[in-house]
Amino acid sequence: GDSVTQMEGPVTLSEEAFLTINCTYTATGYPSLFWYVQYPGEGLQLLLKATKADDKGSNKGFEATYRKETTSFHLEKGSVQVSDSAVYFCALSDQTGANNLFFGTGTRLTVIP
Amino acid sequence: DTAVSQTPKYLVTQMGNDKSIKCEQNLGHDTMYWYKQDSKKFLKIMFSYNNKELIINETVPNRFSPKSPDKAHLNLHINSLELGDSAVYFCASSQSLLPLHFGNGTRLTVT
């Protein structure tokens, strides 16, 4: 079945460091891919998305490119800030029409000044 | 003007009790969901309703019963609570296609 695997955390970085959080997926058909972010005490928010191969999603300095050949959707940011500290979830949509989202286990990022 | 609101934010109760969590969305979306997030932050879908009709029902004990009185509401009722039910429960909504809009979660603690 469809699934998402993302790197385990926690990840701790200094401010202005480069961030990569790996995400790979297994799916039949052509899923859409998402990164969601969960700030402390809040619900998940959509960070970015890509709906087809080679699409690049970007938002708030974060980027991820839909790579069909490597079945990956790695999240990157060139210079992280303390305010980026959160849990990041990679997710994949189910194309059966049931609007089911498969989430990865989440990666906690802590950015220290 | 909260888009997806769920209440209560925190719920502490004893084993064996019955409790409900309410969810309302004011986005005009036609699909609503309940997700369970365990202590390791793993997020798993429980139910999905489209226009008040159940379309996803994952392997969830039948002690959990969703109720959708209208398109804007999807409440979660849990009977005979168990220790393992302790988690954060998230309501979400979408308009047919993704992405999802999440509520802020309800932290349920069963003692």
Side-chain angles (χ1 to χ4, degrees):
Chain A
D2 294 359
S3 66
V4 171
T5 303
Q6 63 180 101
M7 65 185 284
E8 293 203 15
V11 174
T12 303
L13 295 173
S14 297
E15 210 165 17
E16 299 184 2
F18 185 86
L19 168 72
T20 300
I21 300 177
N22 289 339
C23 172
T24 57
Y25 68 89
T26 303
T28 54
Y30 302 94
S32 293
L33 301 172
F34 306 82
W35 277 100
Y36 279 81
V37 58
Q38 184 180 20
Y39 298 105
E42 298 183 14
L44 283 76
Q45 302 172 28
L46 178 66
L47 181 60
L48 52 85
K49 67 176 181 179
T51 57
K52 60 183 188 298
D54 299 325
D55 265 3
K56 177 186 282 189
S58 60
N59 185 25
K60 299 181 181 180
F62 290 89
E63 291 183 341
T65 301
Y66 189 148
R67 301 275 187 212
K68 192 165 173 59
E69 63 275 14
T70 53
T71 61
S72 65
F73 192 56
H74 304 323
L75 182 68
E76 296 182 337
K77 185 173 186 182
S79 176
V80 293
Q81 305 300 312
V82 173
S83 57
D84 294 327
S85 297
V87 180
Y88 293 82
F89 291 87
C90 185
L92 168 158
S93 73
D94 182 338
Q95 291 297 295
T96 64
N99 289 344
N100 199 358
L101 257 185
F102 294 89
F103 283 89
T105 52
T107 302
R108 181 180 297 281
L109 169 67
T110 302
V111 180
I112 53 178
Chain B
D1 60 346
T2 304
V4 181
S5 60
Q6 50 183 112
T7 55
K9 187 169 182 176
Y10 300 98
L11 182 55
V12 181
T13 189
Q14 292 183 327
M15 284 175 54
N17 284 347
D18 303 339
K19 291 293 178 186
S20 292
I21 306 172
K22 296 185 177 180
C23 179
E24 176 182 5
Q25 55 96 3
N26 63 5
L27 296 166
H29 288 168
D30 61 4
T31 307
M32 296 186 72
Y33 312 77
W34 276 106
Y35 281 83
K36 179 180 180 181
Q37 185 179 46
D38 64 23
S39 58
K40 295 183 178 179
K41 296 292 187 183
F42 184 67
L43 204 66
K44 185 173 173 60
I45 192 167
M46 301 173 69
F47 302 102
S48 173
Y49 267 73
N50 179 269
N51 285 319
K52 296 172 56 182
E53 247 185 82
L54 181 67
I55 56 171
I56 293 175
N57 182 359
E58 293 298 307
T59 307
V60 175
N62 57 15
R63 299 181 294 104
F64 290 79
S65 54
K67 288 184 172 38
S68 182
D70 55 57
K71 278 173 48 174
H73 296 83
L74 182 63
N75 303 324
L76 182 66
H77 189 75
I78 316 170
N79 289 328
S80 303
L81 278 157
E82 300 177 356
L83 292 177
D85 298 332
S86 295
V88 180
Y89 292 84
F90 285 99
C91 179
S93 72
S94 71
Q95 178 56 36
S96 295
L97 299 177
L98 300 162
L100 299 178
H101 294 253
F102 284 86
N104 284 345
T106 295
R107 182 176 295 279
L108 171 65
T109 303
V110 182
T111 62

